[in-house]
Amino acid sequence: MRAIRGLWHWRHNPLRRATDLAEAWVALVTLVLITVAAPVIGSLVGSAAQDSLQRSVREQQHSRRLVMATVVRRLRGAMPEPDPDTGAAHDIRSRVVADWTAPDGTRQHGPVLAGLKSPHQGDRFRLWTDGHGRITTRPLDAPTATTHAVLAGFGAALLTAGLVDSGRRLIVWRMVRRRYARWDQAWDRAGPDWGKAGTGS
C-alpha cells in the first residue's frame, strides 16, 4: 500500500524527481512480486517436493520390512542410545548382538540397536531391514513427507521474498548514491560563487 500511495503522491507533484518516481515503481514491483511470485514459487516447490517425497514413501514401504530379531548378547560398554529415527529422548535403544531372518529367507547375525532398556539373551524385538536383511531405518510415512513438503514450499516462498526485497534494497541504494553524487556535483558547481553578491541573478 505504501508503494501505491507513493506513486499517487508523486504523480502530479511539482517537486517530483525522476528518482522519486523510480523508487515508487520499484517498491510497487517488489510488492507485486512478493505477494504473487513468492507464493506461486512456494507452491510449485512444495508440490514438487510432495511428489518426490510421496514417491520415496511408496518405494521405502515396498522395499523395507519389519522382522523379528532375537538378542544373542548385550554389547558391554555400549551406552543406551536414543532412537535415531524419532530423536525422542524417551525411546531408548541398546546395542546388542542379534540374530534375524531376512525377508528373502537368509539368516543374519550382527550388532544392532534394540528397542530394549535392559536386553537379555533370548529377548525379541522388531527390526527394519531391506529385502536382503540389511539393517535400515523405518520407512518414511506419508504425513511426515507432507510436513517436509510444506516446509520446503514455505521456505522457498520466504527465500523468494527475501531475494526480491534484497534486490529492491540494492536498487534503491544505487539510486540514493547516484542522487548524492549529483548533489555533490551541483554543490561543486555552485561552490566558487557561493556567498558572492549577485550570485544567481
PDB file of all heavy atoms in Angstrom, residues 189-201:
ATOM      1  N   ARG A 189      29.649  22.889  -8.486  1.00  0.00           N
ATOM      2  CA  ARG A 189      29.467  23.931  -9.482  1.00  0.00           C
ATOM      3  C   ARG A 189      29.090  25.266  -8.825  1.00  0.00           C
ATOM      4  O   ARG A 189      29.500  26.325  -9.256  1.00  0.00           O
ATOM      5  CB  ARG A 189      28.390  23.528 -10.497  1.00  0.00           C
ATOM      6  CG  ARG A 189      28.836  22.445 -11.460  1.00  0.00           C
ATOM      7  CD  ARG A 189      27.866  22.328 -12.633  1.00  0.00           C
ATOM      8  NE  ARG A 189      26.514  21.965 -12.193  1.00  0.00           N
ATOM      9  CZ  ARG A 189      26.076  20.718 -12.074  1.00  0.00           C
ATOM     10  NH1 ARG A 189      26.905  19.698 -12.349  1.00  0.00           N
ATOM     11  NH2 ARG A 189      24.846  20.484 -11.684  1.00  0.00           N
ATOM     12  N   ALA A 190      28.278  25.190  -7.774  1.00  0.00           N
ATOM     13  CA  ALA A 190      27.831  26.421  -7.110  1.00  0.00           C
ATOM     14  C   ALA A 190      28.847  26.935  -6.104  1.00  0.00           C
ATOM     15  O   ALA A 190      28.825  28.122  -5.751  1.00  0.00           O
ATOM     16  CB  ALA A 190      26.501  26.171  -6.395  1.00  0.00           C
ATOM     17  N   GLY A 191      29.749  26.095  -5.663  1.00  0.00           N
ATOM     18  CA  GLY A 191      30.688  26.447  -4.605  1.00  0.00           C
ATOM     19  C   GLY A 191      31.515  27.687  -4.856  1.00  0.00           C
ATOM     20  O   GLY A 191      31.591  28.562  -3.980  1.00  0.00           O
ATOM     21  N   PRO A 192      32.166  27.831  -6.000  1.00  0.00           N
ATOM     22  CA  PRO A 192      33.026  29.006  -6.231  1.00  0.00           C
ATOM     23  C   PRO A 192      32.282  30.340  -6.122  1.00  0.00           C
ATOM     24  O   PRO A 192      32.877  31.363  -5.772  1.00  0.00           O
ATOM     25  CB  PRO A 192      33.547  28.777  -7.650  1.00  0.00           C
ATOM     26  CG  PRO A 192      33.484  27.297  -7.831  1.00  0.00           C
ATOM     27  CD  PRO A 192      32.258  26.860  -7.089  1.00  0.00           C
ATOM     28  N   ASP A 193      30.966  30.344  -6.432  1.00  0.00           N
ATOM     29  CA  ASP A 193      30.208  31.597  -6.413  1.00  0.00           C
ATOM     30  C   ASP A 193      29.393  31.778  -5.135  1.00  0.00           C
ATOM     31  O   ASP A 193      28.679  32.751  -4.985  1.00  0.00           O
ATOM     32  CB  ASP A 193      29.257  31.660  -7.621  1.00  0.00           C
ATOM     33  CG  ASP A 193      30.025  31.699  -8.922  1.00  0.00           C
ATOM     34  OD1 ASP A 193      31.136  32.265  -8.927  1.00  0.00           O
ATOM     35  OD2 ASP A 193      29.526  31.152  -9.928  1.00  0.00           O
ATOM     36  N   TRP A 194      29.489  30.775  -4.241  1.00  0.00           N
ATOM     37  CA  TRP A 194      28.625  30.812  -3.044  1.00  0.00           C
ATOM     38  C   TRP A 194      28.988  32.016  -2.168  1.00  0.00           C
ATOM     39  O   TRP A 194      30.137  32.230  -1.816  1.00  0.00           O
ATOM     40  CB  TRP A 194      28.791  29.510  -2.269  1.00  0.00           C
ATOM     41  CG  TRP A 194      27.844  29.413  -1.108  1.00  0.00           C
ATOM     42  CD1 TRP A 194      28.122  29.602   0.202  1.00  0.00           C
ATOM     43  CD2 TRP A 194      26.454  29.132  -1.177  1.00  0.00           C
ATOM     44  NE1 TRP A 194      27.008  29.433   0.969  1.00  0.00           N
ATOM     45  CE2 TRP A 194      25.959  29.133   0.146  1.00  0.00           C
ATOM     46  CE3 TRP A 194      25.559  28.893  -2.229  1.00  0.00           C
ATOM     47  CZ2 TRP A 194      24.616  28.904   0.450  1.00  0.00           C
ATOM     48  CZ3 TRP A 194      24.228  28.649  -1.915  1.00  0.00           C
ATOM     49  CH2 TRP A 194      23.770  28.666  -0.587  1.00  0.00           C
ATOM     50  N   GLY A 195      27.994  32.818  -1.834  1.00  0.00           N
ATOM     51  CA  GLY A 195      28.197  33.954  -0.928  1.00  0.00           C
ATOM     52  C   GLY A 195      28.593  35.235  -1.631  1.00  0.00           C
ATOM     53  O   GLY A 195      28.719  36.277  -0.995  1.00  0.00           O
ATOM     54  N   LYS A 196      28.821  35.176  -2.949  1.00  0.00           N
ATOM     55  CA  LYS A 196      29.194  36.407  -3.667  1.00  0.00           C
ATOM     56  C   LYS A 196      27.962  37.229  -3.977  1.00  0.00           C
ATOM     57  O   LYS A 196      26.884  36.668  -4.251  1.00  0.00           O
ATOM     58  CB  LYS A 196      29.928  36.057  -4.976  1.00  0.00           C
ATOM     59  CG  LYS A 196      31.304  35.431  -4.737  1.00  0.00           C
ATOM     60  CD  LYS A 196      31.983  35.184  -6.064  1.00  0.00           C
ATOM     61  CE  LYS A 196      33.369  34.544  -5.859  1.00  0.00           C
ATOM     62  NZ  LYS A 196      34.036  34.285  -7.157  1.00  0.00           N
ATOM     63  N   ALA A 197      28.115  38.505  -3.979  1.00  0.00           N
ATOM     64  CA  ALA A 197      26.995  39.404  -4.307  1.00  0.00           C
ATOM     65  C   ALA A 197      26.576  39.187  -5.743  1.00  0.00           C
ATOM     66  O   ALA A 197      27.426  39.070  -6.638  1.00  0.00           O
ATOM     67  CB  ALA A 197      27.405  40.847  -4.099  1.00  0.00           C
ATOM     68  N   GLY A 198      25.312  39.132  -5.957  1.00  0.00           N
ATOM     69  CA  GLY A 198      24.790  38.984  -7.328  1.00  0.00           C
ATOM     70  C   GLY A 198      24.742  37.576  -7.814  1.00  0.00           C
ATOM     71  O   GLY A 198      24.362  37.351  -8.963  1.00  0.00           O
ATOM     72  N   THR A 199      25.101  36.596  -6.987  1.00  0.00           N
ATOM     73  CA  THR A 199      25.089  35.194  -7.438  1.00  0.00           C
ATOM     74  C   THR A 199      23.649  34.762  -7.691  1.00  0.00           C
ATOM     75  O   THR A 199      22.756  34.993  -6.881  1.00  0.00           O
ATOM     76  CB  THR A 199      25.705  34.284  -6.354  1.00  0.00           C
ATOM     77  OG1 THR A 199      27.049  34.706  -6.149  1.00  0.00           O
ATOM     78  CG2 THR A 199      25.666  32.843  -6.784  1.00  0.00           C
ATOM     79  N   GLY A 200      23.463  34.133  -8.803  1.00  0.00           N
ATOM     80  CA  GLY A 200      22.125  33.627  -9.149  1.00  0.00           C
ATOM     81  C   GLY A 200      21.247  34.660  -9.795  1.00  0.00           C
ATOM     82  O   GLY A 200      20.129  34.370 -10.195  1.00  0.00           O
ATOM     83  N   SER A 201      21.695  35.892  -9.943  1.00  0.00           N
ATOM     84  CA  SER A 201      20.856  36.934 -10.556  1.00  0.00           C
ATOM     85  C   SER A 201      21.107  36.981 -12.042  1.00  0.00           C
ATOM     86  O   SER A 201      22.123  36.510 -12.519  1.00  0.00           O
ATOM     87  CB  SER A 201      21.191  38.289  -9.936  1.00  0.00           C
ATOM     88  OG  SER A 201      22.557  38.598 -10.093  1.00  0.00           O
TER      89      SER A 201
END
